[in-house]
């Protein structure tokens, strides 16, 4: 499911179309839908972290949903560097639709500097994100 097909009470704040994909900002979380075939890492994120920092700041009071509608690679050994950008850990969810995508997400989860929750579909990931952020406030 694409974020465009999502029905939620959350209002879309901003949509960024950057070289690596579409970044949809809501009030309290972001949904990233990246292009197929990319290799993403701390040193090569093509502006993704910059967009997130510009929108939410360094507090970490937000959630990130990576909606993997297309296969791409992550450099897992660079994920720990993301922790230096935020004062506290943002909420992170990864949505994977294929067996290979789920296996990759399970592997990458070990390298994230924050707790990561895995989902099979976008709607439950958004519902989890909304309830998790609401309870943290």
């Amino acid at each position: 499911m694409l974020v465009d097909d999502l029905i939620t009470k959350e209002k879309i704040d901003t949509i960024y179309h950057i070289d690596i994909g579409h970044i949809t900002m809501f009030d309290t979380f972001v949904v990233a839908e990246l292009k197929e075939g990319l290799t993403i890492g701390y040193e090569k994120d093509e502006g993704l972290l910059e967009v997130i920092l510009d929108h939410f700041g360094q507090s970490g009071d937000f959630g990130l949903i990576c909606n993997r509608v297309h296969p791409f690679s992550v450099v897992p050994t660079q994920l720990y560097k993301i922790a230096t950008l935020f004062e506290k850990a943002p909420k992170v969810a990864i949505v994977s639709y294929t067996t290979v995508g789920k296996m990759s997400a399970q592997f990458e989860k070990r390298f994230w500097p924050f707790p990561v929750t895995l989902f099979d579909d976008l709607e439950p990931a958004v519902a989890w994100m909304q309830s998790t952020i609401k309870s943290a406030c």
Side-chain angles (χ1 to χ4, degrees):
M1 164 185 278
L2 294 170
V3 73
D4 293 343
D5 302 322
L6 183 66
I7 299 172
T8 179
K9 293 178 184 176
E10 290 271 344
K11 179 182 152 277
I12 293 175
D13 188 30
T14 309
I15 300 173
Y16 295 93
H17 301 280
I18 60 177
D19 289 343
I20 61 171
H22 304 291
I23 313 304
T24 305
M25 300 290 190
F26 294 86
D27 289 336
T28 57
F29 64 94
V30 55
V31 178
E33 295 176 337
L34 305 183
K35 293 180 180 176
E36 185 172 354
L38 296 173
T39 299
I40 299 294
Y42 181 81
E43 282 98 18
K44 187 175 182 200
D45 75 352
E46 305 299 327
L48 175 62
L49 290 173
E50 183 179 334
V51 166
I52 291 171
L53 285 165
D54 285 349
H55 191 86
F56 292 109
Q58 293 181 307
S59 69
D61 291 327
F62 70 94
L64 167 64
I65 299 174
C66 184
N67 189 29
R68 293 192 170 178
V69 292
H70 306 292
F72 61 88
S73 299
V74 173
V75 180
T77 56
Q78 293 181 6
L79 289 172
Y80 76 93
K81 294 179 182 180
I82 296 171
T84 64
L85 301 175
F86 302 105
E87 295 167 11
K88 69 177 191 176
K91 310 300 183 253
V92 179
I94 299 174
V95 181
S96 299
Y97 299 92
T98 66
T99 302
V100 172
K102 291 173 188 173
M103 289 171 48
S104 293
Q106 280 287 354
F107 175 75
E108 292 161 12
K109 183 178 176 179
R110 298 176 188 168
F111 294 89
W112 273 90
F114 319 121
V116 174
T117 304
L118 306 178
F119 293 91
D120 294 337
D121 194 45
L122 183 59
E123 284 183 334
V126 169
W128 173 83
M129 189 64 71
Q130 289 168 326
S131 68
T132 300
I133 290 175
K134 185 177 183 180
S135 67
C137 294

